[in-house]
Amino acid sequence: FPADAPHAVRSSDGASILVYEKPYRPPTGASAAALGPNPPAPAFVFGDVDELPTLETPGETFDLRKLLPQTLEWDVNFHVMDFKPGEFLHVKEMHYNQHGLMLLEGMGIYRLNDAWYSVQAGDVIWMAPFVTQWYAALGKERSRYIILKDTNRDPIEAYV
């Protein structure tokens, strides 16, 4: 739900819900100029992650789906990453922004800098800026996590 959107959630079959709250950062600078004088606000989005297309990940083996539109009014995006047992990130990553993930299914091992963490469904990881990270799926079942990242905003402006 976008900021200040009235909402209610009901499920007749039972459900799990992940709530992530953050202050909305409207576009500034080139992003704002590209949107014009009356920029659209983020709208309510819903759907089934498994119906979204998988995106190209050159050199990698996991399946990647982005849950939100890749348009400038959004200041965050959520990605769902699926790993078959034994699959792993082929590169160690480092990002300028802080971000986090929640393991939704399966189990694996997550590396943050020089520390290694055994993780399983329900575990949450928060990563500081410029922390080296890497993941490998363990066990006999698919491993799936949801990861959030800031997007479409100047990272320096967040700290000014």
Side-chain angles (χ1 to χ4, degrees), residues 81-88 103-110 117-123 135-145:
M81 298 171 71
D82 292 327
F83 295 80
K84 293 181 180 96
E87 287 184 338
F88 56 91
L103 201 66
L104 301 172
E105 297 175 18
M107 58 193 299
I109 188 161
Y110 216 94
Y117 301 93
S118 176
V119 293
Q120 61 187 357
D123 288 346
Y135 178 75
L138 303 175
K140 296 181 181 184
E141 304 293 326
R142 170 180 79 176
S143 175
R144 170 177 268 189
Y145 62 74

Side-chain angles (χ1 to χ4, degrees), residues 81-116:
M81 298 171 71
D82 292 327
F83 295 80
K84 293 181 180 96
E87 287 184 338
F88 56 91
L89 292 172
H90 286 228
V91 296
K92 291 182 282 185
E93 298 182 316
M94 182 184 294
H95 303 279
Y96 64 82
N97 55 341
Q98 62 182 346
H99 55 289
L101 68 83
M102 179 177 187
L103 201 66
L104 301 172
E105 297 175 18
M107 58 193 299
I109 188 161
Y110 216 94
R111 177 184 176 183
L112 299 174
N113 283 336
D114 291 327
W116 299 79

